[in-house]
Amino acid sequence: MSAIYQHTCQTEGCDKPAALQCPKCAKLGIESYFCSQDCFRSSWNAHKAAHVVSDPKATYNPFPKYPYTGSLRPEYPLTPRREVPESIPRPDYAEREDGMSMMERSYGNAQMSTVSGSDEETMRKVCILGREVLDIAARTIRPGVTTDEIDRAVHEATIERNAYPSPLNYYNFPKSVCISVNEVICHGIPDQRKLVDGDIVNIDISLYKDGFHADLNKTYFVGKVDDASKKLVKTTRECLQKAIDMVKPGIKYRDLGAAIEKHAKANGFSVVRTYCGHGVGKMFHSAPNVPHYASNRAIGVMKPGHVFTIEPMINAGSYDDQTWKDGWTAVTVDGKRSAQFEHVVLVTEDGHEVLTRRLPTSPESQLDRI
């Protein structure tokens, strides 16, 4: 999971940051935010229509006037927030009204994510659990399944491991996993939309256990996918591997982006610049920042014990992005497809270790069949 965006006001013509949520929508599991009571009152006549769902199975587009860039549309209502047993330890933001991590806010980018000794072993175990949950989610993918159903599977698998789903309530994110389909770059909110034959879908798993976060993602094919999408997904995975292969003590974090962008451009694709990899461990997001494009200004040199994600987002068209009115869903500006892969990498004394690598029980890689 990458960078954070605020919600914006849903009043027509108002794009101010918004934190005030309609109480009725909150009960229905509908995302709706306003910047002020005045905007809420002025929008009431139009907004209240969102509360009326005569058919419980009916879905609707909550932002009908939004200028969508591609064919994908959100399908609401969202299901209510899933419960986490009280016995499961939570990160510091889990119960906050604003979802803000005070630990992250206190340290900012000054705290490099580093592990050693018992912490290293704990981080390794937590990342294995994250991989197990991703593999469970992968087995649910098929035409006809909704992204909300995948969210349920992820949530249940996470709490079965006595872990907390890290995205849940992180800056008010409403679900337990980010699921990004087709032109969605990242941070897609699981909803009632059914996957269809030919989609590509990214599942971004993050979980918290024993004081540490794991974070990984992968893009999958849904049914029969066109050759252009296959090339995009394959190239994206290769971009990630080229960056991983560079990781060892003494390498500058900013150098990874050049390798990623060179390979992406050679295959006719572009690299998203808004979102980057990051340190991960006791905090969900921390230093270092790991941009995926060339000529970036990231600071820092890799040292043994550093733990971070590499998670390139590669677009079929322009690298520019925009965000839906839900304040989270990042999409390509031209509606063309985007793919992403992510691993947690530990810098070792003589190289690196991929903590979220495939397990012997992981499903067969779809890329092996291309």
Side-chain angles (χ1 to χ4, degrees), residues 1-5 186-187 274-276 278 285 328:
M1 189 173 186
S2 304
I4 309 306
Y5 272 80
C186 59
H187 302 161
T274 303
Y275 306 96
C276 63
H278 53 87
H285 296 88
W328 282 101

Side-chain angles (χ1 to χ4, degrees), residues 25 32 38-40 44 52 73 110 112-113 123 155 159 176 189 259 262 284 361:
C25 287
S32 64
D38 288 341
C39 266
F40 180 51
W44 177 247
V52 181
R73 299 291 183 273
M112 184 73 73
S113 182
M123 186 68 186
H155 184 89
I159 64 175
S176 297
I189 297 175
K262 179 180 179 181
F284 196 0
T361 56

Side-chain angles (χ1 to χ4, degrees), residues 261 265 271-276 291 293-294 313 319-321:
E261 185 163 14
K265 283 189 171 181
V271 181
V272 173
R273 299 188 172 204
T274 303
Y275 306 96
C276 63
Y293 57 91
M313 289 143 273
Y319 65 75
D320 287 322
D321 62 272

